[in-house]
Structure formats: C-alpha cells, structure tokens
Amino acid sequence: MKKLLLSLGILFFASQLISQALIINHNHTKINLIPQSAIEAAKSDLHIAYGHTSHGSQLTEGMDGLVGFMNANGYPHNLYAWSNGGANGSLDLHDYAMAGDVGYYPEWMNNTRAYLGLPNQFTGRGTGANADVNVIIWSWCGQVEEKYASGALITEYFNPMQQLETDYFGIKFVYMTGHLDHWDDAMNKAANQAVRDFCSANNKILYDFADIESYNPDMTHFPYSNDDCSYYDASGNYLGNWALEWQNTHQEGVDWFNCGAAHSWPLNANQKAYAAWWLWARLAGWDQSFTSIQKPENQDKWRFFPNPTTNHITIEWQNPVNHVVAEIFDTFGTCVLSEHFDEGSKHILRFDQIKNGLYYLKVGDGQSFWSEKLVVQQ
C-alpha cells in the first residue's frame, strides 16, 4: 500500500508538471527575485544529473563562481552551494554524470539508461546506484543545427527524450537549445526554434541556452550574436562583444563575478548560472512571482526618481494608462510593498518602514511589466 501511494503521488506530480511547458530563458536571470525558500526547497528536493561537454560547462562554471559572489554580497553563507551528493545541505548536482553530450546519438541515450539503471515501476526512477536522481539535463555542443538540417532532430533527440520520459516517469527531463553559432546563423536559429516549438507544443521543460546568450543583463537583445558574445549586424559586420562591454562598464564583485566560461566570457556564465537556479527553484515547486521581466519597447515610456531614495519615489509615465501596479521586492524575492494606482501620468509611491538596502521596483500597466534596481538610503 505504501508503494502504491508513493507511485500514485509521483504520477500525480508528473501530470501536474507537464500540464504546461516550463521555459527558462533570458527573462529568468534575475537571481535576486528568487526567494530563499525556493532555493532551499531545490536543495532539499532535487537530485540532478548533468551530461555535457565544453559549452555546457558554462552553466556549472557559473554556479561555481556564484557561491562566493553571493556570500560576499550579504546572502546566507553558501546558500547557492552545490556538490555531487549534496553534502552539508548543498544542492545535489552530479556534474559530468553521463559522458558526452546530447549531440552524440545513441550514446547519450544509452549513457542515460546505464546511469539510471532499469526503471522502477513504482517510483518511475532508476533502480541502480543513482536511484535518487529525479532530474536529468543534457546540453548540446555544436550539433543542433546539423541534426535539424539532416532531419535527425526528431529521431535522435525528441523521440528518445520522450521515450525516456515514459520509461522513467518519476524523473524530470530538461531539454536544451544549442549554443549560438553566428557562422551558421540561419540554420542555428531554425534548429533552436524547432526545439522551442516542440517544447512549447508538448509541455516540456526547456532551458533555452541560446536565448540566454542573446541578451545582456539590461535585457538588450543582440539578434546576430555568437557563443562568445560577439555581435554583428544583419550583413555580418562585427559590432562588438556584449559581455566584455557590460563587464567593462560595471563593477566586478558587485554587478558580475569572475568565473570560468568555456568559449566565452564570465558574464555569459553568470547569466547561465542565474537561469539555472531559476530552473531548479521552479522544478522544486516555486510558482515564481515574475512570469517575465522586460524593458519597455520605448525606454522613455516611464521613469522613476529619486534613486537612491529615502522614503518615496515618483513614477512618471509618458502617456496616462488605465491602471498601474507598483511593487517593491527585496533581494530574496519577497514583496515588501504593493500599491495600485488609477489613471494618471505621475504616481508617488511612499514607504517609511523599508530598511536601507538594494531592492527591485516592479512596475506594470496591465500589458507588460519590468523591473529595475532601487536603492533605499534613509
């Protein structure tokens, strides 16, 4: 009876999980918006196995550097720690768990099955030494466009992944797009979009690797970018490197952190790590306060001042809107103030009980919303 109840519980959870697609992309790189409780839940509940080669290491190299960065910026000590086995309350993540990457078929599928062992009919997990694993994530290296061009994306990626999901129904399988490749831009874009479309249509979990490295932390989009963060115009002319430019104009140790980043620059791995923790938090049950974080299409549409501030800010709109929601979140993602305003071109948000520190102001007009840093100095 105990096993039956466990099986039914897992089946229910699995059906809940796939009721809609879970897409993690550049909209999910604001790590300060993830509450501590969601981080702790991920460390408590998840047992992750990650298979990848060099490009995929950006994710875990970023997670390595993130630990000290967050420690130095006032977060609970080792809140973002991870290790193979989850020692001392860290996230249990087995890096390089399965050899190779998802571009090598059938090796990646066979390596997954060998790692997990035969499926357990009650738990839907493996029966081998890694029976606790409940998340499998594979990355690509440079093969996604080749698979797409040859028609093998379906037979060597989508179909095998779905078979694994069926056989190991107690495990969450994470799909990925491949890294950017400006030198095969059209095919790379088409291949990655095919992965997105499949995941959206079939309620899969997607970590959108390519999308994350197409935006800098200010949400500026670079549509003709490469995996090293170089960006170009539509004719292929080199324009710059968004990661280096952002690093050079922001403070290391405060706005970004140094870490390994195979084939790229630290800021790229920073973004990958932030999005990875957003993914882990969502897989552990966090319903997320933010469905997307965007900059307005017209940057002059609104502004707020003063910043830094003491006990109030003025939110000013270029054009009146029907309704405005303004919220302030602390660095753990907790909403500390929420106000609704009626139509008007200027609104004053007052607060007296908010302590000094860094916050995020979230503003929405019923159609979109975005977030900006807010410093309170009373």
Side-chain angles (χ1 to χ4, degrees):
M1 176 60 72
K2 199 171 183 179
K3 286 185 177 179
L4 177 59
L5 290 174
L6 175 62
S7 178
L8 290 173
I10 292 172
L11 280 169
F12 173 77
F13 179 75
S15 67
Q16 291 295 101
L17 178 67
I18 61 173
S19 62
Q20 61 181 5
L22 172 57
I23 309 297
I24 303 298
N25 56 31
H26 77 279
N27 288 317
H28 308 105
T29 55
K30 302 294 187 184
I31 196 168
N32 291 338
L33 301 181
I34 308 173
Q36 182 179 345
S37 59
I39 300 297
E40 297 289 4
K43 294 196 294 182
S44 172
D45 298 345
L46 302 186
H47 303 277
I48 306 163
Y50 184 26
H52 64 89
T53 48
S54 58
H55 279 87
S57 68
Q58 293 171 9
L59 189 156
T60 43
E61 287 176 328
M63 288 179 63
D64 273 338
L66 179 66
V67 180
F69 175 69
M70 299 304 270
N71 286 350
N73 280 276
Y75 284 76
H77 185 67
N78 286 346
L79 177 63
Y80 295 91
W82 64 279
S83 65
N84 179 16
N88 301 315
S90 60
L91 177 72
D92 182 10
L93 192 159
H94 188 179
D95 197 22
Y96 293 104
M98 296 84 63
D101 60 55
V102 80
Y104 298 101
Y105 178 84
E107 289 84 357
W108 73 266
M109 182 186 65
N110 294 336
N111 290 344
T112 301
R113 291 185 179 277
Y115 178 81
L116 293 172
L118 293 174
N120 184 308
Q121 63 176 319
F122 295 107
T123 68
R125 299 181 185 176
T127 55
N130 302 299
D132 62 336
V133 169
N134 54 13
V135 178
I136 292 284
I137 177 170
W138 277 98
S139 82
W140 296 87
C141 194
Q143 314 97 326
V144 66
E145 57 264 31
E146 298 170 9
K147 299 291 185 184
Y148 175 78
S150 67
L153 198 57
I154 296 173
T155 57
E156 298 184 6
Y157 185 46
F158 297 155
N159 290 348
M161 280 285 277
Q162 290 189 109
Q163 188 61 55
L164 288 169
E165 289 170 321
T166 299
D167 294 345
Y168 299 91
F169 58 84
I171 297 177
K172 308 174 187 74
F173 287 84
V174 181
Y175 292 69
M176 270 205 201
T177 51
H179 67 77
L180 295 179
D181 183 1
H182 177 69
W183 311 114
D184 194 10
D185 188 69
M187 192 63 68
N188 181 262
K189 282 183 167 63
N192 285 325
Q193 190 58 48
V195 175
R196 295 183 189 109
D197 292 344
F198 175 83
C199 290
S200 295
N202 294 279
N203 299 325
K204 304 301 184 182
I205 306 166
L206 173 64
Y207 181 91
D208 199 337
F209 200 95
D211 181 80
I212 294 166
E213 59 190 11
S214 301
Y215 292 79
N216 72 11
D218 296 324
M219 302 294 177
T220 302
H221 184 212
F222 299 91
Y224 300 100
S225 185
N226 199 35
D227 61 336
D228 67 347
C229 304
S230 297
Y231 61 96
Y232 305 79
D233 63 20
S235 299
N237 299 307
Y238 176 79
L239 299 178
N241 186 290
W242 64 257
L244 285 176
E245 291 167 2
W246 206 90
Q247 290 177 190
N248 291 337
T249 55
H250 292 77
Q251 186 176 351
E252 181 180 351
V254 175
D255 300 310
W256 65 278
F257 59 89
N258 198 10
C259 65
H263 309 290
S264 195
W265 297 96
L267 186 63
N268 190 2
N270 289 190
Q271 298 291 89
K272 299 285 175 51
Y274 299 151
W277 274 105
W278 198 293
L279 172 63
W280 311 144
R282 289 301 314 278
L283 292 181
W286 177 46
D287 62 0
Q288 78 178 55
S289 301
F290 292 77
T291 54
S292 64
I293 302 169
Q294 306 170 3
K295 289 180 68 175
E297 293 182 4
N298 180 355
Q299 184 60 40
D300 296 327
K301 180 178 180 180
W302 80 292
R303 66 190 184 109
F304 72 95
F305 56 91
N307 187 29
T309 186
T310 54
N311 61 2
H312 77 280
I313 55 172
T314 297
I315 305 169
E316 191 170 83
W317 294 76
Q318 183 180 23
N319 298 307
V321 294
N322 294 329
H323 192 71
V324 174
V325 179
E327 297 171 298
I328 296 178
F329 290 81
D330 65 17
T331 54
F332 294 106
T334 301
C335 182
V336 297
L337 184 66
S338 178
E339 292 286 346
H340 293 246
F341 300 99
D342 293 326
E343 181 176 341
S345 60
K346 184 181 292 187
H347 309 288
I348 298 177
L349 182 62
R350 299 187 181 278
F351 43 89
D352 297 308
Q353 304 299 320
I354 296 180
K355 298 178 181 179
N356 290 356
L358 173 66
Y359 296 86
Y360 283 86
L361 172 66
K362 173 188 167 186
V363 180
D365 62 5
Q367 296 180 340
S368 62
F369 61 81
W370 45 93
S371 179
E372 297 283 352
K373 290 181 181 178
L374 172 67
V375 178
V376 176
Q377 295 178 348
Q378 295 190 12

